[in-house]
Amino acid sequence: MVNLSWYIIMLYIHIFSVVLSIGPYFVLFPLLALIRRAPFEQLPDYLEPFRITVRLTKHAGHVLVATGILLTWITAWSWKTSWIVATVLIMVASLYFIARAFSPLLRQLKAPHEDRNFLVNKLRKALILYVIITLAMMWFMVSKPTIW
């Protein structure tokens, strides 16, 4: 019989929520070309995956934070540990970034606009930056570097 501890269960839920927080964004890159050249009437169909991804990653982020708190408590890591502090700081920055980056751009793309290429380029930059931010957070969680 397999002996599953609370730590193992929380760790797997935490890892799964990380995958849900980062993974869907990689699927969106190919959609950028379709958004760039789609007729305006079809644009909502191509923008919907972005909206769904933002919503999915928001909820996965809630699970990620909850399990991260529980894992920190279960393992008795200190909240002053450098990699935890760095991860939390990056997470706060990513929350601010995701709120300011994707939703306003998606609203602008849904409305009639003059320069779709400019907006799609901004969306592409936002995607790249968000992936970098989340991968940096993941690096701190996996490698657990001692900074101080």
Side-chain angles (χ1 to χ4, degrees):
M1 183 171 179
V2 176
N3 182 16
L4 290 177
S5 67
W6 282 110
Y7 171 77
I8 297 294
I9 293 168
M10 284 297 119
L11 183 62
Y12 275 95
I13 293 171
H14 190 69
I15 291 168
F16 185 67
S17 64
V18 169
V19 171
L20 285 178
S21 294
I22 299 172
Y25 285 94
F26 289 100
V27 176
L28 298 178
F29 283 104
L31 281 177
L32 293 173
L34 298 172
I35 291 170
R36 197 178 300 274
R37 60 179 190 263
F40 183 75
E41 301 78 39
Q42 291 180 349
L43 218 48
D45 295 336
Y46 294 116
L47 295 175
E48 187 64 12
F50 278 88
R51 190 189 65 74
I52 291 169
T53 298
V54 170
R55 179 173 281 167
L56 172 68
T57 57
K58 178 176 71 171
H59 294 302
H62 294 139
V63 174
L64 181 67
V65 169
T67 56
I69 290 169
L70 287 172
L71 284 168
T72 303
W73 178 61
I74 288 171
T75 60
W77 282 99
S78 167
W79 286 102
K80 296 176 185 174
T81 305
S82 60
W83 66 269
I84 293 176
V85 171
T87 302
V88 169
L89 290 174
I90 293 171
M91 182 186 60
V92 169
S94 74
L95 293 174
Y96 177 77
F97 176 79
I98 199 167
R100 306 286 253 153
F102 293 109
S103 297
L105 276 173
L106 294 175
R107 275 193 302 274
Q108 287 177 328
L109 280 164
K110 282 183 183 177
H113 49 274
E114 293 296 318
D115 194 0
R116 187 184 308 177
N117 280 332
F118 174 74
L119 294 175
V120 172
N121 288 340
K122 280 181 73 172
L123 188 57
R124 183 177 180 276
K125 286 177 187 174
L127 267 174
I128 291 169
L129 191 55
Y130 183 73
V131 167
I132 289 170
I133 288 169
T134 52
L135 288 176
M137 207 173 5
M138 189 170 73
W139 179 79
F140 276 106
M141 287 187 284
V142 171
S143 68
K144 297 173 179 42
T146 302
I147 300 170
W148 57 79

